[in-house]
């Protein structure tokens, strides 16, 4: 009501080329005075300085975590006693705890598996900061943001039975933050096995990296993904460097990939959506935003390029596995 009767004055809050928000003043009796505007500007500057100070503190904290986690993963620490003491000093006890490797990745937009952009991961500032904020009050964790678009953690919990609730709350906070700040992004949280020995942490972190890379960008129904969740996709991802899998993908899909590159068609995208939707043409057409006659024409062209029958179950199974292999080979994970 005051805004309707008077005026709004907004001053941007930001620094170093970034704008984080606006400081707004409402005056009920006309435009603000010069003194009031100056006070508003000083307030915005104070908020920006505080924000920069928090970021610098977070960066220092992450660097300390990263150094510790590197030593944990490559076994380069001086002694278990010194490692435990340093970890406790940063608030992440490792002795007599349930330890879980976790990898968080960020993915582009709605239906990323059918998007034309092959880069699933995008660089966003502040990922480590977002992870630390989501972890606060929910989990104790060492955080390592050594790579754009990915943050690794070693989560430390008093008891393994605490893991489902704690990780669900953590993942939920991350997704809530993504929806508020960058709606086009989706978050995948990959979780490794629970271990109790620092020497086994490397395996758990490796498992979490594998799960995060192999899980679909749109993780269905679950706040986080584990090894059992990735199933065949996970197996194919593990084998992605095997020349036999690469040859299989080339035999099954090589002509389709060549046609897409040569003619600018979308055969691979269309076939992926068709098989992902259980060969249901109505749902496939909806997912691709196509009229059904257009989809039928695309499928006929795919059959012609591959010289195959998409009504044959075994053929479609073979093509589906090959598509999983192709996606894994194209993944930066």
């Amino acid at each position: 009501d005051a805004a309707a009767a008077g005026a709004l004055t907004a001053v941007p809050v930001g620094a170093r080329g970034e704008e984080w928000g606006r400081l707004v003043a409402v005056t009920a009796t006309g435009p603000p005075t010069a003194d009031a505007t100056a006070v508003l500007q000083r307030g915005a500057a104070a908020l920006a300085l505080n924000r920069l100070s928090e970021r610098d503190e977070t960066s220092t904290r992450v660097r300390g975590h990263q150094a510790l986690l590197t030593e944990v993963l490559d076994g380069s620490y001086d002694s278990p006693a010194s490692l435990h003491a340093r970890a406790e000093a940063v608030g992440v006890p490792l002795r007599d705890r349930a330890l879980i490797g976790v990898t968080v990745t960020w993915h582009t937009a709605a239906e990323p598996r059918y998007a034309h952009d092959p880069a699933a991961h995008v660089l966003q500032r502040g990922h480590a900061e977002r992870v630390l904020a989501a972890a606060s009050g929910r989990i104790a964790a060492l955080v390592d943001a050594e790579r754009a678009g990915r943050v690794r953690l070693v989560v430390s919990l008093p008891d393994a039975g605490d893991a489902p609730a704690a990780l669900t709350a953590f993942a939920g906070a991350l997704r809530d933050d993504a929806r508020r700040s960058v709606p086009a992004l989706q978050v995948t949280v990959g979780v490794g096995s629970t271990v109790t020995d620092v020497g086994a942490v490397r395996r758990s972190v490796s498992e979490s990296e594998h799960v995060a890379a192999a899980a679909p960008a749109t993780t269905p129904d679950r706040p986080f993904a584990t090894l059992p969740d990735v199933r065949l996709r996970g197996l194919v991802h593990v084998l992605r460097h095997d020349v036999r899998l690469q040859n299989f993908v080339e035999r099954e899909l090589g002509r389709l990939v060549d046609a897409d590159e040569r003619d600018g068609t979308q055969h691979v995208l269309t076939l992926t959506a068709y098989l992902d939707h259980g060969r249901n043409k109505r749902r496939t057409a909806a997912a691709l935003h196509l009229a059904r006659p257009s989809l039928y024409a695309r499928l006929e062209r795919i059959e012609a390029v591959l010289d195959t029958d998409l009504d044959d179950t075994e053929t479609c199974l073979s093509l589906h596995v090959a598509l999983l292999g192709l996606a894994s080979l194209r993944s930066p994970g």
Side-chain angles (χ1 to χ4, degrees), residues 185-316:
L185 291 183
Q186 295 180 353
V187 182
T188 293
V189 179
V191 175
S193 302
T194 301
V195 300
T196 55
D197 177 26
V198 169
V201 165
R202 179 176 182 177
R203 171 175 59 82
S204 182
V205 171
S206 178
E207 288 173 355
S208 75
E209 293 174 333
H210 158 63
V211 171
T218 50
T219 305
D221 304 326
R222 291 175 57 86
F224 56 88
T226 61
L227 279 171
D229 295 320
V230 296
R231 298 191 174 186
L232 178 59
R233 184 181 300 274
L235 175 63
V236 170
H237 187 77
V238 167
L239 298 174
R240 69 193 184 282
H241 299 307
D242 190 311
V243 68
R244 290 169 294 184
L245 175 64
Q246 296 168 6
N247 289 339
F248 172 73
V249 171
E250 173 62 26
R251 286 196 307 272
E252 294 291 313
L253 298 173
R255 284 173 288 174
L256 218 56
V257 172
D258 290 344
D260 278 355
E261 293 176 351
R262 183 183 64 248
D263 304 326
T265 51
Q266 297 182 11
H267 293 324
V268 171
L269 178 150
T270 301
L271 183 60
T272 300
Y274 178 60
L275 297 179
D276 279 351
H277 287 88
R279 295 190 285 167
N280 184 304
K281 294 176 182 176
R282 179 185 58 79
R283 291 168 53 205
T284 303
L288 295 174
H289 308 292
L290 292 173
R292 268 188 269 183
S294 298
L295 174 65
Y296 301 157
R298 284 193 185 190
L299 294 175
E300 288 176 2
R301 286 194 292 272
I302 288 171
E303 288 181 320
V305 171
L306 294 178
D307 189 23
T308 195
D309 179 6
L310 292 181
D311 288 329
D312 181 73
T313 301
E314 187 170 340
T315 293
C316 288

Side-chain angles (χ1 to χ4, degrees), residues 52-231:
L52 288 175
S53 175
E54 289 178 347
R55 280 194 162 188
D56 290 341
E57 182 180 342
T58 298
S59 296
T60 301
R61 184 179 173 191
V62 170
R63 283 195 294 271
H65 280 216
Q66 187 166 334
L68 269 173
L69 187 51
T70 297
E71 293 182 25
V72 169
L73 296 181
D74 63 19
S76 61
Y77 46 88
D78 295 332
S79 69
S82 67
L83 176 69
H84 289 312
R86 291 165 58 208
E88 288 176 7
V90 299
V92 188
L94 301 177
R95 191 196 313 269
D96 299 325
R97 304 276 287 189
L99 305 175
I100 308 169
V102 175
T103 298
V104 181
T105 59
W106 286 260
H107 308 269
T108 52
E111 295 198 275
R113 296 176 69 188
Y114 310 125
H116 236 342
D117 181 4
H121 302 281
V122 296
L123 173 61
Q124 288 287 328
R125 294 185 181 183
H127 277 165
E129 181 180 347
R130 296 179 189 282
V131 167
L132 285 170
S136 179
R138 299 178 179 90
I139 54 173
L142 294 176
V143 176
D144 176 14
E146 101 298 357
R147 173 173 159 183
R150 184 181 79 174
V151 175
R152 301 183 301 178
L153 304 88
V154 172
V155 173
S156 171
L157 298 171
D159 187 84
D162 300 334
L167 292 172
T168 295
F170 167 68
L174 277 176
R175 287 195 169 90
D176 289 344
D177 172 74
R179 280 193 291 267
R180 287 193 305 269
S181 57
V182 192
L185 291 183
Q186 295 180 353
V187 182
T188 293
V189 179
V191 175
S193 302
T194 301
V195 300
T196 55
D197 177 26
V198 169
V201 165
R202 179 176 182 177
R203 171 175 59 82
S204 182
V205 171
S206 178
E207 288 173 355
S208 75
E209 293 174 333
H210 158 63
V211 171
T218 50
T219 305
D221 304 326
R222 291 175 57 86
F224 56 88
T226 61
L227 279 171
D229 295 320
V230 296
R231 298 191 174 186

